[in-house]
Amino acid sequence: MKPNVLILRAPGTNCDYETAYAFELAGATTERIHVNRLLEDPSIIDRFQIMCFPGGFSYGDDVAAGRVLASKIRLRLFDAVSRFKDADKLVLGICNGFQILIKSGILVADDEIGAPATLTWNDSGVYVDRWAHLEVKSDKCVFLRGVDKMYLPIAHAEGKFMGRDAAVLDALEAQGRLALRYAPGNNPNGAVRDVAGVCDETGRVFGLMPHPERHLDKTQRPDWTRYQNEPDFATKVGDGFAIFKNAVEYFA
Amino acid sequence: MLWEVDIFAAPGLPDVVGTETVADAADLGFSPNLTLGFARGYLLQGDLSREQVETLASRLLADPVVERASIGVVGDAVLAESLAGKTGKIVYVLPKPGVTDVVADAARQTAADFGIEPEAVRTFKKYWIDGVDAAEIERLARKLLANDAIEQVAFDELGFDSLQVGSPYKFELKTVAIRSMNDAELETLSKQGQLYLSLVEMQTIQKHFQDLDRDPTDVELETIAQTWSEHCSHKTLAGRISYSGPEGEIFFENMLKETIFGATVKIRENLGSDDFCVSVFADNAGVVKFDDEYNDCFKVETHNHPSALEPYGGANTGIGGVIRDPMGTGLGAKPICNTDIFCFAPPQFDPNELPNGVLHPRRVIKGVVAGVRDYGNRMGIPTVNGSIFFDKRYLGNPLVYCGDVGLIPVDKSFKEPKVGDLIVAMGGRTGRDGIHGATFSSAELTSESETLSGGAVQIGNAIEEKKILDVMLEARDRGLYNAVTDCGAGGFSSAIGEMGEKIGAEVDLNAISLKYEGLSYAEMWISEAQERMVFSVPKDKWPELKALAESEDVEAIVLGEFKPTGRLVLKYDGVTVADLAMSFMHDGRPPVIRKAVYEVPTVEPITVKPEGVELPGQTAVSKTVACPCCGKESGKTSATLDLEAILGSLNVASKHWAIRQYDHEVQGGSVLKPLVGVACDGPGDAAVLRPRLTSRRGLVVSNGMNPNYGDYDAYWMAASAIDEATRNAVAVGADPTTISILDNFCWGNADKPEVLGSLVRAALACRDVSVAFGSPFISGKDSLNNEFRPEGEEPIAIPPSLLISAMGQMDDVAKAVSMDLKEAGNALYLVGETKRELGGSHLSLVRNWVGGQVPTLDVDVAKRTYIAVHKAIQSGLIRAAHDLSEGGLAVAAAESAFAGNLGAEISLAAIKLAPAADGESTALPGVENVDDYWKLFSESNSRFLIEVPVEKSCAFEGILCEAKVPFAPIGKVVEKPELTIFGADGTVAVQGDLADLKLRWQKPFDLGGWYAD
C-alpha cells in the first residue's frame, strides 16, 4: 500500500515542505497538519501510517530546543502517539523532530529517575551548519535498512546527545538503539559515543540530528561539482533518500 | 509572590557560557585573574506553591540530564549560592521591562499546559564574579555583560520583588502650538521632538496648519515626520541636486530618477519583448520573471544605527524587517534566501582607545552575526551569500546590510487595496518598542544617541513572523485579501498611510492590541514594534481570514477601513486625534535642494605612505607573521610574503566563523554553498539554489563591494562593484542576460557637498554600467548620515560604501561551476585584461602604499567576456572558475588551489600587461621585478582564473577568440599540494605550501577557534 504520512508542523517548524517532498519522491502521500488540529482531535493521526516530526524551531526552541512541543505531546498527545507506535506504524523525527521525540519520552521512555537521555547544547555553544560522514552501527532501525554509510548535513545548536550515565548508554547500545553515529573526526557537537541518531526498542521510531531531506538530489552534496563529469552522475541520488524509501517500503 | 529559578550545568559538565564570557572579557583587556560562573534563570510571579515551581523547574525550565536548578523566593539566602560552587559578587542582567523576552513568554504559555499559571515571567542571566574589584565588575557589566539600551543590571540582589509593566493610560488630546513658533522654536521642536525635519519642512508644516487655522495634534506632527523622513521618502537622493564634477555641471530634478531608475527604463526599452522586469522601484521589493509560473523578488535593507547601539537586536530586527519586504510585495512572496553584508572596525581594535558610547568591534561583530543567525535560521530561510569588510572608520557606525529573495506566483505579483476594504493588522502586539526608528535612522549618531534613542532599539521574535508567513501564504492562495504591506519604519503610520494613499483611511486606535498598558494614542500609531503586517481585506472575506489566523495562534484585528475620502483620519475614544489630507502627507513635502561637488583626485605614482600617516582603514596583519608550522620565514620571495599577508588580511580572510552559524541549506534547494571544495572550506564566488524542488532552474545570488576604491574615485568604485557582482554570478554559471541588480548606498553626511558629490558620481557610474551591461536596477535603498561624533571631537564619517547585490538565473543547476581546482593535468587560463591598477588594492594595504590607478572598467570587453565565459560553461568546457578581486591573480590562484587541495604551476610570461599610458608610472616602491608584481596583484576588473580539461582547451580558446576576449594560458593543475608561480624570466616569483597558505587565510577571522595551529 501507499503509506500516508502525517507531517506535523507547529509554529516555527520550517523543514515541512522539503520533508513532505522527500516522502512523496519515495512514493508516499503526505499531509502537513498543524499541531493545533491534533490537540483538538488526537484521533486524526489514526488515518496515517507514518508520522514525521520535521526540522525547524518549534515554538522558537525558546526555553530549550523542542521542549515546548515535547511538553504538549507528553501532557496531551502521549496516548495517541503511543497507540500509533504500537500499531506497527513508523515515527521519524529529524533534527528538531529528534529533540521533540527524545524530550517527550516517546523515543527513550522515562525511568524511575526521569528522562535517561537528552539533546543539549553543542560543545561549541553555537549553531553550526556543516556536512558529516555517518556510519550505521546496528540493523535494528527500520529506516536504516541496507544502509551502512551516509553523508548528510547537520544544522543545529542543541544536537549533542547525552545520556544520564554510562549505564543508560550501555543499555541503549546493547539493544542496538544508538543506531547512527558520526564517523571518526565528524562529530560536530561533542555527542557521547558519536551518536547522531537513536531508535526505540522496536526500531520503528527513529530520531536523528542530520537532515536526510537535504540530500535527495545529486546537486546537494557540498562537493558535487567534483563529480560532475563522472558517467553515473546523471542517475545519482542523494544518500538521504534511502531513509524515506525504507519508510515507504516498510508498508509495501 | 516572586519566585526565582537559577539553572546551572550539572556537576562534571562545562559552564560553556561562563568560559566564553571570560574569554570575551580577556579580549576586551580585562584582568586574567577574573573568574566567573554563570546561571540562566527565570523569575515567576504569581500565587504559586513551591511544588508548582519545582514542577516547572524540573519538567519545563531545566533539563535534568544536563542541568541542576536552585529554587527560592527572591531574596532567599539559598539563591546567593552557586550550585557550581562559584563565589564572588553576584550580577543579574535582565531585559528591561517591555523589551521582548520570547523565552519568558514561551515559559509562561507552556506552564499553562502543566496547569500552572504564573501572572508574569522574566528571564535573566546571573553571574558570580571574582578576582577583580567592584569597580572592574561594574565596568565588565557595562562593557560586556549587559547593554543599557535594552537590559538592566542588578548587583548582589535583584532589588525588586514584582514584575510590573505599564500603567493605565489616561487619554488626553495633545496639540502643538506650531502656528505661533519662530524659526528657532521650530528647529528646537524638530530636534527635541525627534522629528529630525529641516527648518524649511517645519515651516511648510506651520504654513499648512496656519492655512487650516488650527494647530496640529502631536500624532499629526509625528505622522508627517515619519512620512517625510529620509528613511521613508529618500528625499535627498530623490531631490534636486546641482552637481559639479569631472562630468561638468549637472542639475537633477530627481537624482535617483535620472540615474538609476532612468537606466532601468532605458534597459527595458532596449530589451523590448525580452524585458524580464515585472515590477521595479514600485513595491516593497523589485520583481522579475523566474519561470512561467513564478516571479522572484529581491530587497536589501540596512539597519546600521540600531546595530551600532545594540548589535544583536539591531541586526536581528534588520533581517526580520527585510524579510517582511518580499512578504509585503505583491500579494506576498515566500522568502527563499537571505544575504548579509557587514562592515566593521577590525576586531583587534585597542579597547583602551574606544571612544565613549561605542561598543568594541568584537562585541559588535559577535552580536550582529548572532542577531542575523537567530532570525534567519528560525524563519527557515537559508542565508546563502554575504561578505564582511573591515575599516577603522566603521568603528562607531558599523554597516549591516540584510537582503531577502522571495518567490511569488505570477498571478499574485500585484496588489490593489479597494475602497471599503477593512484595514487588518496581523501579528505581534504593539508596545513602545522602536518609537522614532524612522526619524532616528536618518540622524547622525552621537555619543548620547544611546540614551536619546534607546527606544529605537528592539529585539525581534522570528517565530511570530514565521507564523504570519504560514497564515499569509495560505490566505493569499485562498484569495482572502486585496493588498498586504509590512509595518517597518514608521509602523502603522507608514504602512496604512502608504496603503491608503490613493483612497483614504479611517482608523480606530482603540482597536490596536497592546503588549502592556500605558501607550498614548500617538505611541500606538508610530510604534515600530516588529512582526506586524497590514492587510486590505474585503468585508466578506474577513471571517475566513480571522478563523484561519486564530487556527494558527496568530492575532488578527480590524483597525479600520479604507474610505474614499483622500484623508487619513485617526480616532481614539471616539475623538478625532488626526485628520490629514493624504495629498499633503505624500506630496506636500518641499523639495530638498542640495549642492554636490566632486573632484577626482589626480592619480599619483604609488609610494610608501609617509611615516605616521594612517592609511584609511588599515586592517592588514603584519606580513612578517611567522609560519605556523616551522615558525620561520626562511627563503621566501617577497611576492610570497605579500601573498601570505593579503590572504591573512581581514577582508580576504576566510569568513567560515560567520558562515557556519547560518543555516544555508534549509528549504532543500541548496546547490552551490558559501564554502566549497574538497574540504568544504573554499570561498565560493556566488550562491546557486534551486528554489523549486520540482524544477532544475537555478537562482544565482552574489554581491560586489569595495569601499577601499571609494577613497580613489567613487565612479570606479561603483563600476567595480557592479562588475564584481556580475563576474561572481557569471563565474558560477549565471546567464549574464538574466542578471538584475540592487543598489544600497551607505554614505556620510549628505549635507556636505563633497560627500553628496561622491554619491552622485557613484550613481552616474551605476547608470552607465547598468545600461551597458543590460542589467536593470530593480530596487535600492540609501542610508545617509552614517557618521559618528565622539564627545567633543570631529565626526568620523564612514567611507562611501556602495553595495551592489545581483540576482541571476541558470536553466540547469547541474551546469554550475565551483572555484576549487578539480583535476591534475587540466589547463589554467587567465581570462580578461590585466592593467596596472593597484590603487586601493590589497597589495597597497599590506605594503602601506598610497597612490596608483584604481581599477577601471571597459564595459564592452566586460560584457563580451561574460557572454563568452557563460557560453563555455554551458558547453561544459569549464571545470573551475574563480573571479579575480582583492589580491588579484595571486590570491585567486591560491584560493582555488587550496580549495581543491591540488597544486598549480603558473607562469606569468604569457600574460600581456596593458601598455602603460603616456607618463604613467610603472614603478613600485622597493620592487625589482615590477611587471611580475603588476600581473600577480593588480586588481583589474572583469577577470577570471579558469580550469579547462586539456582536450577541451581548443574549443575554449575558440570561444574566447571569436568573442575577442583577451586571455592567456598560464599553467596547469598539479598533484603536488603546492602553488608555484614563475616570473616572466622563469625564476620562482611565488611558492607556497597549500596547507600553510590555507591556514594563514583561515586564522585571522577564526573567532570560534576552529583552526588552532
Side-chain angles (χ1 to χ4, degrees), chain B residues 337-365:
Chain B
C337 68
N338 292 337
T339 68
D340 52 70
I341 288 79
F342 309 137
C343 300
F344 299 127
Q348 310 88 334
F349 191 89
D350 178 357
N352 306 317
E353 310 233 314
L354 214 56
N356 280 345
V358 175
L359 300 173
H360 190 275
R362 264 183 183 269
R363 207 172 150 194
V364 174
I365 292 164

Short mmCIF file of all heavy atoms in Angstrom, two decimals, chain B residues 337-365:
data_model
loop_
_atom_site.label_atom_id
_atom_site.label_comp_id
_atom_site.label_asym_id
_atom_site.label_seq_id
_atom_site.Cartn_x
_atom_site.Cartn_y
_atom_site.Cartn_z
N CYS B 337 15.68 32.94 0.26
CA CYS B 337 17.06 33.01 0.76
C CYS B 337 17.38 34.41 1.28
O CYS B 337 16.74 35.38 0.90
CB CYS B 337 18.07 32.59 -0.29
SG CYS B 337 18.20 33.71 -1.69
N ASN B 338 18.37 34.46 2.16
CA ASN B 338 18.85 35.72 2.71
C ASN B 338 20.30 35.96 2.31
O ASN B 338 21.04 35.01 2.05
CB ASN B 338 18.79 35.69 4.25
CG ASN B 338 17.37 35.68 4.77
OD1 ASN B 338 16.44 36.11 4.08
ND2 ASN B 338 17.20 35.18 5.98
N THR B 339 20.67 37.23 2.28
CA THR B 339 22.08 37.59 2.13
C THR B 339 22.42 38.58 3.24
O THR B 339 21.52 39.26 3.76
CB THR B 339 22.34 38.29 0.78
OG1 THR B 339 21.70 39.57 0.81
CG2 THR B 339 21.78 37.48 -0.37
N ASP B 340 23.67 38.67 3.62
CA ASP B 340 24.05 39.72 4.55
C ASP B 340 25.49 40.14 4.33
O ASP B 340 26.36 39.32 4.11
CB ASP B 340 23.84 39.28 6.00
CG ASP B 340 24.51 37.97 6.28
OD1 ASP B 340 25.75 37.94 6.31
OD2 ASP B 340 23.80 36.96 6.45
N ILE B 341 25.68 41.44 4.35
CA ILE B 341 27.00 42.04 4.15
C ILE B 341 27.22 43.01 5.31
O ILE B 341 26.34 43.83 5.61
CB ILE B 341 27.07 42.80 2.80
CG1 ILE B 341 27.11 41.82 1.62
CG2 ILE B 341 28.31 43.67 2.74
CD1 ILE B 341 25.78 41.23 1.22
N PHE B 342 28.33 42.86 5.97
CA PHE B 342 28.61 43.70 7.13
C PHE B 342 29.90 44.50 6.94
O PHE B 342 30.82 44.02 6.26
CB PHE B 342 28.80 42.85 8.41
CG PHE B 342 27.69 41.87 8.66
CD1 PHE B 342 27.97 40.58 9.07
CD2 PHE B 342 26.36 42.24 8.50
CE1 PHE B 342 26.96 39.66 9.32
CE2 PHE B 342 25.34 41.33 8.75
CZ PHE B 342 25.64 40.05 9.16
N CYS B 343 29.96 45.68 7.54
CA CYS B 343 31.19 46.47 7.60
C CYS B 343 31.48 46.81 9.05
O CYS B 343 30.64 47.42 9.72
CB CYS B 343 31.03 47.75 6.79
SG CYS B 343 30.68 47.46 5.05
N PHE B 344 32.65 46.39 9.52
CA PHE B 344 33.03 46.57 10.92
C PHE B 344 34.41 47.21 11.02
O PHE B 344 35.18 47.20 10.07
CB PHE B 344 33.15 45.20 11.63
CG PHE B 344 31.89 44.39 11.66
CD1 PHE B 344 31.89 43.07 11.20
CD2 PHE B 344 30.70 44.91 12.15
CE1 PHE B 344 30.75 42.30 11.24
CE2 PHE B 344 29.55 44.14 12.19
CZ PHE B 344 29.57 42.83 11.74
N ALA B 345 34.71 47.72 12.23
CA ALA B 345 36.10 48.06 12.54
C ALA B 345 36.81 46.75 12.87
O ALA B 345 36.18 45.77 13.25
CB ALA B 345 36.15 49.02 13.72
N PRO B 346 38.15 46.71 12.70
CA PRO B 346 38.89 45.47 12.96
C PRO B 346 38.68 44.96 14.38
O PRO B 346 38.65 45.76 15.32
CB PRO B 346 40.35 45.87 12.76
CG PRO B 346 40.30 47.10 11.92
CD PRO B 346 39.02 47.80 12.25
N PRO B 347 38.52 43.64 14.55
CA PRO B 347 38.28 43.09 15.89
C PRO B 347 39.45 43.30 16.85
O PRO B 347 39.25 43.30 18.07
CB PRO B 347 38.05 41.59 15.64
CG PRO B 347 38.52 41.32 14.26
CD PRO B 347 38.47 42.60 13.51
N GLN B 348 40.65 43.54 16.30
CA GLN B 348 41.81 43.75 17.20
C GLN B 348 41.90 45.17 17.72
O GLN B 348 42.89 45.55 18.33
CB GLN B 348 43.13 43.45 16.47
CG GLN B 348 43.23 42.14 15.74
CD GLN B 348 42.73 42.25 14.31
OE1 GLN B 348 41.90 43.10 13.98
NE2 GLN B 348 43.23 41.38 13.45
N PHE B 349 40.88 45.98 17.47
CA PHE B 349 40.94 47.38 17.89
C PHE B 349 41.29 47.48 19.38
O PHE B 349 40.73 46.76 20.21
CB PHE B 349 39.60 48.06 17.62
CG PHE B 349 39.63 49.55 17.77
CD1 PHE B 349 39.96 50.35 16.70
CD2 PHE B 349 39.35 50.14 18.98
CE1 PHE B 349 40.00 51.73 16.83
CE2 PHE B 349 39.40 51.51 19.14
CZ PHE B 349 39.72 52.31 18.06
N ASP B 350 42.21 48.39 19.71
CA ASP B 350 42.67 48.53 21.10
C ASP B 350 41.54 49.01 22.01
O ASP B 350 41.05 50.12 21.85
CB ASP B 350 43.83 49.54 21.14
CG ASP B 350 44.32 49.77 22.57
OD1 ASP B 350 43.70 49.19 23.51
OD2 ASP B 350 45.29 50.51 22.75
N PRO B 351 41.12 48.16 22.95
CA PRO B 351 39.98 48.52 23.82
C PRO B 351 40.17 49.84 24.56
O PRO B 351 39.22 50.54 24.86
CB PRO B 351 39.90 47.36 24.81
CG PRO B 351 40.65 46.24 24.18
CD PRO B 351 41.69 46.86 23.31
N ASN B 352 41.45 50.18 24.81
CA ASN B 352 41.69 51.42 25.57
C ASN B 352 41.48 52.67 24.73
O ASN B 352 41.39 53.77 25.26
CB ASN B 352 43.12 51.40 26.12
CG ASN B 352 43.39 50.13 26.93
OD1 ASN B 352 42.54 49.72 27.72
ND2 ASN B 352 44.52 49.49 26.67
N GLU B 353 41.42 52.51 23.40
CA GLU B 353 41.23 53.66 22.51
C GLU B 353 39.76 53.90 22.18
O GLU B 353 39.44 54.78 21.39
CB GLU B 353 42.00 53.44 21.21
CG GLU B 353 43.44 53.03 21.42
CD GLU B 353 44.39 53.93 20.66
OE1 GLU B 353 44.12 54.20 19.46
OE2 GLU B 353 45.37 54.38 21.27
N LEU B 354 38.89 53.10 22.78
CA LEU B 354 37.48 53.15 22.40
C LEU B 354 36.83 54.44 22.90
O LEU B 354 36.88 54.75 24.08
CB LEU B 354 36.78 51.94 23.03
CG LEU B 354 35.63 51.29 22.28
CD1 LEU B 354 36.06 50.87 20.89
CD2 LEU B 354 35.14 50.08 23.07
N PRO B 355 36.22 55.23 21.99
CA PRO B 355 35.52 56.44 22.44
C PRO B 355 34.28 56.08 23.26
O PRO B 355 33.77 54.97 23.16
CB PRO B 355 35.09 57.12 21.13
CG PRO B 355 35.79 56.40 20.03
CD PRO B 355 36.14 55.04 20.55
N ASN B 356 33.81 57.05 24.06
CA ASN B 356 32.58 56.84 24.84
C ASN B 356 31.42 56.53 23.91
O ASN B 356 31.36 57.03 22.80
CB ASN B 356 32.23 58.09 25.65
CG ASN B 356 33.08 58.15 26.91
OD1 ASN B 356 33.69 57.13 27.28
ND2 ASN B 356 33.14 59.31 27.53
N GLY B 357 30.50 55.72 24.39
CA GLY B 357 29.29 55.45 23.62
C GLY B 357 29.50 54.49 22.47
O GLY B 357 28.60 54.27 21.67
N VAL B 358 30.70 53.91 22.37
CA VAL B 358 30.97 52.97 21.28
C VAL B 358 31.24 51.59 21.84
O VAL B 358 31.99 51.43 22.80
CB VAL B 358 32.20 53.42 20.46
CG1 VAL B 358 32.56 52.37 19.42
CG2 VAL B 358 31.94 54.76 19.80
N LEU B 359 30.59 50.58 21.26
CA LEU B 359 30.85 49.20 21.66
C LEU B 359 32.09 48.70 20.94
O LEU B 359 32.37 49.10 19.81
CB LEU B 359 29.66 48.32 21.30
CG LEU B 359 28.33 48.68 21.93
CD1 LEU B 359 27.21 47.83 21.36
CD2 LEU B 359 28.39 48.50 23.44
N HIS B 360 32.83 47.80 21.59
CA HIS B 360 34.03 47.27 20.94
C HIS B 360 33.66 46.45 19.71
O HIS B 360 32.65 45.71 19.73
CB HIS B 360 34.83 46.40 21.92
CG HIS B 360 36.18 46.04 21.39
ND1 HIS B 360 36.36 44.95 20.57
CD2 HIS B 360 37.40 46.63 21.54
CE1 HIS B 360 37.65 44.88 20.24
NE2 HIS B 360 38.30 45.88 20.82
N PRO B 361 34.45 46.58 18.62
CA PRO B 361 34.14 45.84 17.38
C PRO B 361 33.86 44.36 17.60
O PRO B 361 32.93 43.81 16.99
CB PRO B 361 35.40 46.03 16.54
CG PRO B 361 35.99 47.32 17.01
CD PRO B 361 35.64 47.44 18.47
N ARG B 362 34.61 43.72 18.49
CA ARG B 362 34.37 42.28 18.73
C ARG B 362 32.94 42.03 19.19
O ARG B 362 32.28 41.09 18.77
CB ARG B 362 35.31 41.77 19.83
CG ARG B 362 36.54 41.13 19.29
CD ARG B 362 37.42 40.58 20.37
NE ARG B 362 38.61 40.05 19.73
CZ ARG B 362 38.72 38.79 19.32
NH1 ARG B 362 37.73 37.94 19.48
NH2 ARG B 362 39.83 38.38 18.72
N ARG B 363 32.48 42.92 20.06
CA ARG B 363 31.13 42.76 20.60
C ARG B 363 30.11 43.04 19.51
O ARG B 363 29.10 42.35 19.39
CB ARG B 363 30.95 43.72 21.77
CG ARG B 363 29.95 43.22 22.74
CD ARG B 363 29.93 44.08 23.97
NE ARG B 363 28.58 44.05 24.50
CZ ARG B 363 28.14 44.89 25.42
NH1 ARG B 363 28.95 45.83 25.87
NH2 ARG B 363 26.91 44.78 25.86
N VAL B 364 30.41 44.05 18.69
CA VAL B 364 29.51 44.38 17.58
C VAL B 364 29.44 43.20 16.61
O VAL B 364 28.36 42.74 16.22
CB VAL B 364 29.99 45.66 16.86
CG1 VAL B 364 29.14 45.92 15.63
CG2 VAL B 364 29.96 46.86 17.81
N ILE B 365 30.62 42.66 16.25
CA ILE B 365 30.69 41.56 15.28
C ILE B 365 29.92 40.35 15.78
O ILE B 365 29.04 39.81 15.11
CB ILE B 365 32.16 41.19 15.02
CG1 ILE B 365 32.88 42.31 14.27
CG2 ILE B 365 32.26 39.87 14.25
CD1 ILE B 365 34.40 42.22 14.30
#
